[in-house]
Amino acid sequence: MPNLNRRKFIQISSLVAANMAVFSLNSKASIFDEKLTEEELTLKLLKAGFTNPPDSAKASCYWWWFNSLVDEEGISLDLAEFKAKGMGGVLLINSISGFGSGPIPEGPKFLSDEWRSLFRHALKEADRHGIEVGVNLSTGWAMGGAWIKPEDSGRWLLQAKTRLSGPARFSGKLPLPGSRDGYDNAKQLFIKDYIDLPMEQLDYRDTSVVAYKEIPGALSLKDGDRARSFAAKSNRLDASSHAEAAEVMEPTLLPWTASADDKPVSSSDVIDLTSKVTTDGQLEWDVPEGNWILIRTGHRMTGARTAYALPEAAGLEIDWLDKKGVERQFEHLGNILLKEAGEFKGKSLKYFHDDSFEDGFPNWTSEFLKHFKGYRGYDATPYLPVFAGVVIDSAEISERFLYDYRKTVADCMADGHYKRFAELCHENGLQVQSEAGGPSWSGTMCMDALKNLGRMDLPMGEFWQGKTFVQHDQNQVGKLVASAAHIYGKKKVSAEALTSFKPHWSDSPESLKPVADRAFCEGINRFVIHTSTATRPRDGKPGYEYGAGTHFNRNITWWEKAGSFLDYVNRCQYLLQSGLFVADVLYYNGDWAPNLVAPKRTDPALGKGYDYDVCNEEVLLTRLSVKNKRIVLPDGMSYALMVLPEVSFMPLPVAKKIRELVKAGATIIGPKPVKDPGLKNYPQCDQELDQIAEEIWGSAAVITGQTVRAVLLNKGIVPDFEYTGEANYIDFIHRTTKDAEIYFLANRKEAAAKTTCTFRVSTGYHPQLWDAVSGRILPMPVYKAAKGRIAIEFDFLPHHSIFVIFVKSARPVLKPADEWLFQGRLGLALLQEIKGTWEVSFDPKWGGPERVTFNSLQDWSKSEDERIRYYSGKAIYRKQFDLDMPLAKGKQLFLDLGVVKNIASVKLNGKDPGTIWTAPWMVDISGALKTSGNQLEIEIINLWPNRLIGDAALPIEKRLTNTNIIFKKEDKLLSSGLLGPVSIQVR
């Protein structure tokens, strides 16, 4: 291995390991036989993975078994096709249909002998094809089932007040709370189905009974200005899953101020009567003199049931705040699936999955007081009247208790559910994946989203087409899940990808690409495409489908060409899984709960050109250190500085850690704290916090009164990426390896963009353009290098994207040249338009004419021939033509198809230049074009709606299609076909 000793090879082993899978033994040997420097080997391996992405970098999909309507033939065909088109895995979810889709016939019963046989067949076939399988540990969406007993299901806190006078002996049953007391606005999604169930169906159980002496005229926390935030602070506020992070968090952070009419009850005067109450609510108590208020605190099951579960497995959803919930699920379902998997456990069956949390907002569990004391270090019992609006000790003390309560709920979810789920999977040789940070329904579920995701091997979010779960033109949880992966040391940032409420089958690769590129720039690097419904050949096409999702299976019209789109996704994912994410700023998201992360944004104090991560309290306390004045994580991530939230409080352990970081050389920006927000070791915690604040807020390392951008510039850290043109919007993400800097750029607008892009890359690096659409590594672009930065001029087409790879090398690896695709497009000139008649062949099987002549290019949907107007599928355009002038030597020639609806491939004189699915709609024909006698063939595939609309006007027995998705004959037809103009361009 000349010029590369063993130690250096090991130093780049992380990159090598990611790439070696793409080489045969012979090619590995040939690489190492070459005289390569360390940098050259790194680049060669990176190129190999880009050209032929390994299975670990490939997209996965939601493989829905709706109503278990599957058979062995369909399973085998699905998995074979997924593999052939470039998918690396499937996520198997068994569910009923939903979201507005029509009925789907029923297959074998879930967990029946027949179903288990099909499950085993799927794992065997997946193993044969090298496809990894994940399984959702529930039917329907979130965890639950017929095996979940009421006591193991999600719980809501309830309270009832009773007034007693003494001295007297009380012997009697205490009144039960109202079934929805405190939950006046609970109405989102499925909550409305169970909020008003009668008490006798709700498995009410007591937690405690306390008493305090009544104070006449005392003001309630539910009165005055404090009433606006009481429901949020006491964790009984419902909200849509579309609520923004700030909307969820800010009401809990509004400070409560004391009122002269508060007349607080002393926590030391609260009497615990729990031991005097029987399980049926019977109290025996000698009431002391005076008027007394009794608070009976207990909990009901929320009543939430598994959404869209198969009838034979439908039931209550689990308790999310205690490990018993997930343990029951694993006992009654996980262990069965593991047993059936047999030899394929850990082989094709790789992970269990937990889908998005959509179980309302459970806020209690039977062992909550025990958990609270374990996390917070004190007994919550004397403070329980705060939930009833009673001021205990003071408004501030009451607020501190509720802060501790909400943090405990979040900790219970992170550890009791997600951590325990991970432990159970790991004990059985599986990984764990979950959409553990949302979007959640309710949006106010009291979680630490980063902590939940950090418990996962495969942290996962979701992103949709259209406006669903999009806020300020960014995916709602894109930055959240990416930050979670970065700060917890996870390589893959997964997402339910491309989900949609758009009209069914209305998407093509061209329309999917901008949505994918936005996600890539947020940090998503592993798509789980939603959705690839399992199909049976006997059910026809397009088949039975889900009411939501971008339909992406072998029944779509353009499936035969889907590999080209998946190639693009896989190439992007490979490069975006390489190395480490580059960020200059680490934002501390605070220590409160609920704790959510806003979508990717440009902080006005930071400005454009810098990227960032967001961290939580756990990561700050346990994973951050300082090296060379940079804040670092154990996995290699590093940041120039950390920015604190604009609040006046800070837990004492956080202040201690910040002092430690500052003394080690870290730079911190943020306000000086004045108090600890919790009650642990109060008031000593505030005194010690004040001492720390005085010690370090005033040092040069803790900065206030300056923008983040100014601090970075003062450190000599210029923006990582900039572009020119006020009207332009070029998004980016940057990853770094030992010997290469990887930038992904995406034009986010539907307009062309001429711009100069500037990269923070030092001398000694040379740029290359890697086009993930074609898989080509292009000639080196013309560039300028100065002052530790490199500038490149680009001509971006609408929604164009490119990787700019800066290679560490003493000399350029490629020769510089203008690249027509991204630079100097004005150098293209029209050589000849291909006009006249075209012979077009349709598929009679789908109602089209076998052969027809178009006098000129036309939109199928406007044809007077119903066979063409309502056609969906593939048509082949054929034409013979001559050039109007002799071929010029040394010129590049391109066939430009103009407008295409919706995907195309070209053959010219027997040569296949490739499939075209996005702009520019042209292929290089330099080596295929002749002066005369050119035989041109263009395959065009449109989408399903036109045939479905045509069939809607026909009796069922005359229809060519079969589906449960309803179309109407009045629905608008989609523009279809080769619209052109078709021309030859020369450069």
Side-chain angles (χ1 to χ4, degrees):
M1 199 181 297
N3 300 325
L4 184 63
N5 62 36
R6 186 173 182 274
R7 167 168 285 185
K8 286 186 176 180
F9 178 72
I10 292 173
Q11 288 175 345
I12 60 171
S13 61
S14 60
L15 179 60
V16 172
N19 284 276
M20 293 302 281
V22 306
F23 292 105
S24 68
L25 289 174
N26 290 337
S27 60
K28 289 177 189 176
S30 67
I31 285 176
F32 295 131
D33 285 342
E34 295 181 47
K35 294 183 178 181
L36 299 176
T37 65
E38 179 180 341
E39 293 85 359
E40 289 169 339
L41 175 60
T42 300
L43 178 61
K44 195 171 187 74
L45 291 168
L46 196 67
K47 285 181 177 178
F50 174 74
T51 304
N52 184 17
D55 288 345
S56 61
K58 291 179 180 178
S60 185
C61 68
Y62 275 71
W63 192 31
W64 288 96
W65 287 16
F66 287 117
N67 282 353
S68 301
L69 191 68
V70 294
D71 60 17
E72 287 193 357
E73 181 188 16
I75 287 170
S76 296
L77 287 170
D78 279 355
L79 293 172
E81 282 296 311
F82 293 160
K83 180 68 175 181
K85 295 301 182 289
M87 283 193 189
V90 297
L91 170 56
L92 194 166
I93 302 184
N94 224 142
S95 172
I96 61 171
S97 59
F99 273 87
S101 64
I104 294 176
E106 293 185 9
K109 297 294 184 184
F110 182 63
L111 297 184
S112 66
D113 289 345
E114 185 180 357
W115 186 94
R116 295 183 192 210
S117 176
L118 290 166
F119 177 67
R120 292 192 300 269
H121 178 74
L123 295 181
K124 181 179 179 181
E125 287 292 279
D127 183 65
R128 183 166 69 90
H129 290 294
I131 287 180
E132 71 171 22
V133 178
V135 180
N136 191 45
L137 201 59
S138 181
T139 76
W141 294 350
M143 287 193 192
W147 44 84
I148 298 299
K149 298 178 180 179
E151 60 267 29
D152 297 328
S153 66
R155 315 298 291 184
W156 266 334
L157 167 76
L158 290 176
Q159 287 186 318
K161 277 186 179 182
T162 302
R163 189 173 185 274
L164 297 177
S165 297
R169 173 72 178 177
F170 178 82
S171 177
K173 285 192 174 183
L174 296 175
L176 288 169
S179 64
R180 64 172 299 162
D181 284 358
Y183 300 91
D184 295 335
N185 83 320
K187 60 186 179 183
Q188 295 292 334
L189 198 60
F190 305 116
I191 288 178
K192 59 183 178 293
D193 298 332
Y194 52 75
I195 182 67
D196 289 318
L197 290 173
M199 199 65 167
E200 57 269 20
Q201 297 181 21
L202 295 176
D203 187 50
Y204 174 82
R205 294 165 184 258
D206 279 320
T207 294
S208 73
V209 177
V210 300
Y212 60 88
K213 209 164 190 177
E214 184 177 25
I215 303 176
L219 192 66
S220 171
L221 293 167
K222 299 179 183 180
D223 298 329
D225 288 342
R226 295 181 302 216
R228 292 185 300 141
S229 59
F230 181 78
K233 286 180 181 286
S234 63
N235 196 18
R236 287 176 283 190
L237 183 66
D238 193 8
S240 162
S241 60
H242 302 283
E244 296 193 14
E247 294 177 66
V248 173
M249 295 189 292
E250 286 177 358
T252 69
L253 303 178
L254 292 173
W256 279 349
T257 56
S259 168
D261 296 325
D262 276 346
K263 300 180 182 178
V265 173
S266 172
S267 57
S268 61
D269 292 337
V270 176
I271 302 172
D272 186 357
L273 301 176
T274 307
S275 62
K276 301 180 183 294
V277 182
T278 63
T279 55
D280 63 352
Q282 179 76 18
L283 171 65
E284 303 290 337
W285 184 41
D286 291 321
V287 184
E289 184 177 355
N291 295 323
W292 292 81
I293 302 296
L294 274 63
I295 303 288
R296 183 181 188 180
T297 301
H299 50 95
R300 56 163 278 188
M301 68 175 191
T302 63
R305 298 179 66 82
T306 46
Y308 295 101
L310 295 166
E312 58 270 26
L316 294 170
E317 294 209 344
I318 64 167
D319 186 341
W320 295 86
L321 305 184
D322 191 282
K323 64 181 183 181
K324 65 183 180 183
V326 68
E327 287 176 347
R328 298 294 179 272
Q329 193 73 2
F330 219 93
E331 174 186 349
H332 291 278
L333 181 56
N335 287 340
I336 292 173
L337 297 176
L338 289 169
K339 181 181 178 182
E340 295 301 325
E343 64 177 302
F344 299 110
K345 183 181 76 171
K347 290 180 68 182
S348 54
L349 179 59
K350 294 293 189 182
Y351 63 88
F352 279 151
H353 172 82
D354 191 8
D355 213 51
S356 52
F357 176 86
E358 304 194 32
D359 190 17
F361 55 104
N363 58 17
W364 204 258
T365 188
S366 59
E367 296 292 321
F368 188 82
L369 295 185
K370 175 184 174 182
H371 297 320
F372 184 96
K373 191 167 186 178
Y375 284 117
R376 308 279 86 85
Y378 68 94
D379 182 14
T381 304
Y383 302 94
L384 293 177
V386 171
F387 289 112
V390 179
V391 180
I392 299 294
D393 291 335
S394 69
E396 180 186 348
I397 297 299
S398 301
E399 184 178 15
R400 286 180 182 236
F401 164 70
L402 291 179
Y403 165 91
D404 285 342
Y405 155 71
R406 295 191 306 274
K407 283 193 72 172
T408 302
V409 172
D411 286 339
C412 285
M413 189 178 203
D415 294 337
H417 181 70
Y418 290 110
K419 181 181 179 182
R420 184 59 183 144
F421 183 29
E423 290 170 348
L424 290 167
C425 289
H426 295 164
E427 289 167 9
N428 287 278
L430 299 185
Q431 289 192 308
V432 61
Q433 171 180 281
S434 178
E435 295 183 37
S440 303
W441 216 311
S442 295
T444 48
M445 179 61 205
C446 194
M447 65 171 64
D448 180 334
L450 289 167
K451 184 182 285 189
N452 289 352
L453 289 162
R455 301 292 186 264
M456 300 294 100
D457 300 309
L458 296 167
M460 187 175 184
E462 62 183 86
F463 66 89
W464 289 51
Q465 296 193 72
K467 297 182 180 180
T468 305
F469 297 128
V470 172
Q471 297 173 351
H472 311 291
D473 201 27
Q474 294 291 156
N475 295 309
Q476 185 170 328
V477 296
K479 179 56 80 170
L480 162 68
V481 69
S483 286
H486 300 156
I487 64 178
Y488 281 98
K490 316 293 183 180
K491 178 181 177 180
K492 295 181 180 180
V493 186
S494 304
E496 172 191 321
L498 304 170
T499 311
S500 174
F501 279 146
K502 292 171 66 178
H504 294 271
W505 294 288
S506 62
D507 290 301
S508 66
E510 180 190 24
S511 62
L512 299 178
K513 182 180 182 295
V515 186
D517 289 347
R518 177 174 61 193
F520 286 141
C521 289
E522 291 169 335
I524 304 299
N525 62 19
R526 178 177 173 265
F527 285 11
V528 186
I529 296 172
H530 189 278
T531 179
S532 299
T533 301
T535 60
R536 303 187 310 177
R538 72 181 94 162
D539 294 323
K541 292 184 178 181
Y544 299 110
E545 273 297 355
Y546 196 26
T550 295
H551 307 315
F552 191 81
N553 63 11
R554 58 189 174 85
N555 280 355
I556 59 175
T557 55
W558 48 275
W559 180 254
E560 66 178 81
K561 302 188 188 302
S564 296
F565 174 67
L566 284 171
D567 286 344
Y568 173 76
V569 171
N570 294 340
R571 290 174 188 132
C572 290
Q573 291 187 164
Y574 171 75
L575 290 178
L576 295 175
Q577 289 175 16
S578 300
L580 294 169
F581 172 61
V582 175
D584 293 301
V585 179
L586 181 63
Y587 286 92
Y588 175 50
N589 211 46
D591 39 77
W592 51 79
N595 198 294
L596 308 176
V597 174
K600 181 180 176 181
R601 67 191 184 98
T602 300
D603 178 0
L606 178 60
K608 294 181 178 180
Y610 297 97
D611 214 336
Y612 66 94
D613 271 329
V614 181
C615 82
N616 59 357
E617 181 183 21
E618 179 178 64
V619 166
L620 186 150
L621 293 177
T622 64
R623 289 178 57 80
L624 294 187
S625 59
V626 179
K627 184 177 181 180
N628 298 327
K629 296 189 176 182
R630 289 185 67 86
I631 298 169
V632 299
L633 286 160
D635 320 285
M637 285 292 305
S638 71
Y639 311 89
L641 54 82
M642 182 165 65
V643 179
L644 304 177
E646 290 292 326
V647 294
S648 61
F649 57 82
M650 178 181 291
L652 179 59
V654 172
K656 289 180 176 179
K657 182 58 182 256
I658 288 176
R659 177 175 61 185
E660 175 189 316
L661 295 173
V662 167
K663 288 185 175 181
T667 298
I668 309 292
I669 300 176
K672 179 180 177 181
V674 298
K675 66 177 183 179
D676 186 306
L679 274 181
K680 185 177 182 179
N681 296 327
Y682 174 82
Q684 291 84 359
C685 59
D686 281 8
Q687 297 166 4
E688 191 172 351
L689 178 75
D690 187 61
Q691 293 171 1
I692 293 172
E694 289 298 323
E695 176 186 350
I696 64 171
W697 262 265
S699 70
V702 183
I703 299 169
T704 59
Q706 293 187 45
T707 66
V708 183
R709 192 178 190 90
V711 174
L712 287 170
L713 291 174
N714 287 339
K715 286 175 168 285
I717 301 173
V718 297
D720 188 23
F721 172 76
E722 292 183 295
Y723 60 89
T724 59
E726 285 294 321
N728 295 332
Y729 181 7
I730 311 301
D731 208 348
F732 85 105
I733 190 169
H734 178 192
R735 295 186 72 89
T736 182
T737 71
K738 187 174 182 296
D739 296 302
E741 302 299 320
I742 302 169
Y743 286 83
F744 177 70
L745 309 184
N747 179 10
R748 291 283 301 275
K749 289 195 170 183
E750 268 190 72
K754 187 174 180 62
T755 182
T756 299
C757 296
T758 305
F759 305 84
R760 191 179 64 203
V761 178
S762 61
T763 56
Y765 284 82
H766 301 278
Q768 299 182 10
L769 303 184
W770 293 18
D771 178 18
V773 172
S774 66
R776 293 174 58 218
I777 294 174
L778 309 176
M780 187 173 71
V782 175
Y783 69 95
K784 296 179 181 178
K787 298 181 180 179
R789 306 178 89 190
I790 291 177
I792 306 174
E793 290 187 2
F794 284 96
D795 285 332
F796 285 105
L797 293 169
H799 296 307
H800 224 169
S801 61
I802 189 70
F803 280 94
V804 186
I805 311 294
F806 292 90
V807 180
K808 187 177 182 181
S809 175
R811 61 190 186 279
V813 180
L814 299 173
K815 294 181 179 180
D818 289 336
E819 169 52 47
W820 75 270
L821 185 60
F822 293 95
Q823 292 188 302
R825 282 191 297 106
L826 296 178
L828 287 174
L830 174 65
L831 179 67
Q832 180 177 327
E833 184 175 345
I834 301 176
K835 299 180 179 180
T837 61
W838 294 78
E839 295 296 324
V840 186
S841 298
F842 294 85
D843 188 347
K845 176 183 174 183
W846 293 104
E850 187 169 354
R851 187 174 291 255
V852 68
T853 299
F854 286 177
N855 292 326
S856 61
L857 295 175
Q858 60 180 261
D859 185 337
W860 301 350
S861 68
K862 293 179 170 52
S863 175
E864 294 183 359
D865 188 337
E866 288 190 354
R867 299 175 300 167
I868 297 173
R869 185 164 69 247
Y870 294 123
Y871 183 80
S872 293
K874 179 168 67 177
I876 302 174
Y877 291 67
R878 295 181 177 90
K879 187 175 186 63
Q880 180 175 322
F881 69 94
D882 301 328
L883 288 183
D884 295 339
M885 62 189 73
L887 279 171
K889 292 184 179 180
K891 297 288 187 179
Q892 273 187 294
L893 298 162
F894 302 93
L895 183 69
D896 186 344
L897 301 186
V899 177
V900 174
K901 297 295 179 180
N902 294 93
I903 190 167
S905 59
V906 174
K907 284 184 180 179
L908 179 60
N909 298 324
K911 296 184 178 180
D912 182 359
T915 297
I916 319 172
W917 56 270
T918 187
W921 293 91
M922 56 178 70
V923 289
D924 191 332
I925 56 172
S926 302
L929 188 65
K930 302 186 299 186
T931 302
S932 62
N934 289 286
Q935 300 290 335
L936 176 60
E937 242 183 51
I938 303 173
E939 288 185 358
I940 300 292
I941 302 178
N942 71 335
L943 308 176
W944 271 121
N946 291 1
R947 181 65 265 163
L948 291 164
I949 293 167
D951 277 5
L954 300 176
I956 292 176
E957 64 274 11
K958 291 187 177 181
R959 294 177 183 177
L960 302 179
T961 58
N962 180 57
T963 181
N964 60 319
I965 302 299
I966 298 172
F967 279 77
K968 299 177 181 178
K969 61 183 180 181
E970 302 85 15
D971 289 342
K972 185 178 179 180
L973 296 173
L974 301 183
S975 180
S976 298
L978 176 61
L979 307 185
V982 176
S983 62
I984 298 172
Q985 304 283 332
V986 62
R987 179 179 179 275

